[in-house]
Amino acid sequence: MGPRGLGPALACCLLLAFACGPVLGRVPHAQLEQQQQQGTREPPLDHAERDEEKHEKYSSRQEEEPPASRCFRCCDPGTPMYQAIPVPQINITILKGEKGDRGDRGVQGKYGKTGSVGARGHAGPKGQKGSMGAPGDRCKNHYAAFSVGRKKPLHSNDYYQTVIFDTEFVNLYGHFNMFTGKFYCYVPGIYFFSLNVHTWNQKETYLHIMKNGEEVVILYAQVSDRSIMQSQSLMLELQDQDEVWVRLFKGERENAIFSDEFDTYITFSGYLVKPATEP
């Protein structure tokens, strides 16, 4: 290098030394703080004081909020890698369709268990008076009565004979059959019956009042030199279609009842005392 080149080089070195001198002679700030701390170092703390100081140090750091302009590296722990994207909201009322047709009715379900009887409610207000009803049927009274007679005498035979009557005094509703000589019950209840005959001289009188083929009472008169009037009466409780009549005993003995065409000596009567329908 010639003399001409040496001069500018020295000038450059001087300028560089002048510019970098203060920078090279400056002590770093961290080193300066360390030297000051070493100069003013306090006595060492015990184990409990160090833990308390460490707790206050870290707790104060957690309370401090990071500056808004702080930058994060992708490798730092707890750093969000991606920004949260809000979930899109769909207005569902826009997607609602038209109302459909009504469906068919379903099958009826099973009946539930019967609940307990509730308490009796309060009595309601008195209702209005109803209208008058239609007139009822006329009161029906039940009657039954008959009275018949015989004008011909009758002698016994080798069989039982039903006494047939030829004279009708009263026969209400025809309950007494003049052909069969029997009374037929059409109104159940309690009846009164009466039989009157005239005996024959020197003959026995032997009759029964019958009910449905059974002997109920007897009318009897012994043999006598004179004839007399003989009677028998009773009350019977009859059911529907029961039969009552007079029977002459068969001819084991001389048995007869007297009468003639001019007078009626033999009579049979009966009537209803109390129907069964009445209390």
Side-chain angles (χ1 to χ4, degrees), residues 5-62:
L6 184 61
L10 291 173
C12 290
C13 291
L14 291 174
L15 291 174
L16 182 62
F18 179 80
C20 296
V23 176
L24 294 173
R26 188 179 300 174
V27 180
H29 180 71
Q31 186 177 359
L32 181 62
E33 290 180 354
Q34 185 176 6
Q35 293 175 0
Q36 291 177 358
Q37 290 176 0
Q38 291 177 359
T40 60
R41 180 174 296 178
E42 297 179 356
L45 303 176
D46 58 359
H47 182 71
E49 291 177 352
R50 285 198 303 270
D51 292 342
E52 184 179 355
E53 182 180 356
K54 188 183 297 183
H55 175 72
E56 292 178 356
K57 180 179 179 181
Y58 283 105
S59 62
S60 61
R61 287 182 181 180
Q62 292 178 358

Side-chain angles (χ1 to χ4, degrees), residues 161-263:
Q161 298 181 72
T162 300
V163 179
I164 304 299
F165 298 89
D166 51 24
T167 303
E168 184 180 84
F169 300 110
V170 174
N171 190 8
L172 194 60
Y173 309 122
H175 292 180
F176 188 89
N177 191 320
M178 298 294 292
F179 181 76
T180 61
K182 295 182 179 181
F183 169 77
Y184 297 91
C185 176
Y186 296 101
V187 182
I190 298 175
Y191 286 79
F192 175 81
F193 295 96
S194 176
L195 174 62
N196 295 282
V197 298
H198 192 281
T199 64
W200 203 306
N201 295 341
Q202 303 298 325
K203 293 183 182 295
E204 189 178 39
T205 304
Y206 192 6
L207 301 102
H208 285 96
I209 296 180
M210 308 291 294
K211 174 187 174 184
N212 298 332
E214 296 181 359
E215 301 171 353
V216 182
V217 293
I218 186 174
L219 188 152
Y220 180 77
Q222 293 179 350
V223 177
S224 177
D225 293 339
R226 59 180 184 153
S227 60
I228 58 174
M229 294 294 299
Q230 194 79 357
S231 66
Q232 180 65 281
S233 60
L234 77 160
M235 296 181 71
L236 292 175
E237 183 175 2
L238 303 181
Q239 303 298 327
D240 189 31
Q241 299 300 319
D242 281 349
E243 302 175 0
V244 180
W245 74 95
V246 179
R247 187 189 70 179
L248 183 66
F249 200 78
K250 59 185 178 181
E252 295 179 355
R253 297 182 294 268
E254 189 67 22
N255 183 18
I257 51 177
F258 175 82
S259 188
D260 58 31
E261 297 179 358
F262 302 101
D263 296 308

Side-chain angles (χ1 to χ4, degrees), residues 140-144 185-191 237-238 271-279:
K140 296 181 179 180
N141 295 322
H142 301 282
Y143 299 102
C185 176
Y186 296 101
V187 182
I190 298 175
Y191 286 79
E237 183 175 2
L238 303 181
Y271 59 88
L272 176 65
V273 176
K274 180 181 178 298
T277 56
E278 291 185 4

